[in-house]
Amino acid sequence: MQTTRAIVFDAFGTLIRYTVRLSPYGRLLDESGRPMDRLTCLTRDVPLATLAIEAGVGDEVDLMATDLAEELHGLRLFAEVPDVLAKARAAGLRLAVCSNLAHEYGPAVRGLVPDLDAYVLSYEVGVAKPHPTMYRLACAELGCAPSEAVFVGDSKRCDFDGPQAYGMQARWLDRREGQSLLDALKGVI
């Protein structure tokens, strides 16, 4: 049986939910109307306004900023998250968020789940899951071997397959099937 010393959480769809989804980054279109590369938005530590100007849609910055502010204001934790975090802490586990995020979402995540042991956010490190660097940094920040960490999230590719390929334990959270974090972490906390 593997020893578990840490839990690494994805953010959106795992810990945090949208109550309003306006997708302000979806307005970043190039001159031919194609959306800006999603990876560019997730791996650069620059605000939405900078990306809008670079994409040539700077005239829409005010509208995007309004949509972004409303979306951020509507972010909420899933109901079971405080209980899960408290149980994990009581069990002596170290906790982290490892997530693919654009620049403006980082402070919101830190505000909703403060005082974790680590935050590995794609826009800050320049790569996105399932790049192994994301998982390596999470384990390093938590001071544990990959096999001692459980990654849990709602993306099969980024939160289950990627961590397992790196050597971590992984749990896939399928909220569409009514699963909660407590279900996904059964046997861990």
Side-chain angles (χ1 to χ4, degrees):
M1 180 161 170
Q2 298 181 43
T3 300
T4 300
R5 295 182 49 218
I7 301 174
V8 182
F9 298 94
D10 174 48
F12 290 94
T14 303
L15 299 175
I16 300 167
R17 64 183 176 84
Y18 293 95
T19 61
V20 176
R21 188 74 166 127
L22 300 171
S23 303
Y25 279 78
R27 296 180 187 273
L28 296 172
L29 305 174
D30 67 17
E31 59 279 347
S32 64
R34 288 187 308 255
M36 180 179 269
D37 176 55
R38 185 171 182 271
L39 202 55
T40 297
C41 299
L42 297 175
T43 59
R44 292 188 55 212
D45 195 359
V46 296
L48 177 60
T50 299
L51 295 172
I53 291 165
E54 290 175 4
V57 292
D59 57 334
E60 293 194 39
V61 166
D62 289 343
L63 177 59
M64 288 182 212
T66 299
D67 285 353
L68 178 63
E70 188 174 342
E71 192 172 276
L72 290 171
H73 182 72
L75 297 177
R76 300 289 183 270
L77 294 177
F78 283 99
E80 78 276 11
V81 170
D83 186 40
V84 166
L85 296 177
K87 284 181 177 181
R89 283 283 187 217
L93 299 172
R94 294 182 51 80
L95 306 174
V97 164
C98 178
S99 196
N100 292 345
L101 303 176
H103 174 83
E104 280 86 359
Y105 295 86
V109 168
R110 283 184 167 94
L112 285 165
V113 284
D115 305 319
L116 297 185
D117 299 299
Y119 299 86
V120 179
L121 309 176
S122 62
Y123 76 92
E124 292 179 338
V125 299
V127 296
K129 297 180 301 184
H131 195 286
T133 295
M134 293 288 283
Y135 314 118
R136 180 183 58 76
L137 290 171
C139 291
E141 292 281 327
L142 292 169
C144 67
S147 63
E148 297 173 321
V150 175
F151 199 109
V152 62
D154 65 323
S155 166
K156 189 102 164 58
R157 178 174 168 254
C158 294
D159 304 328
F160 186 78
D161 296 339
Q164 279 195 326
Y166 184 69
M168 299 172 83
Q169 303 170 60
R171 303 287 180 93
W172 180 46
L173 172 61
D174 190 354
R175 289 197 181 272
R176 287 176 296 213
E177 291 296 321
Q179 195 178 39
S180 77
L181 266 177
L182 289 166
D183 299 321
L185 290 170
K186 197 168 293 217
V188 177
I189 58 167

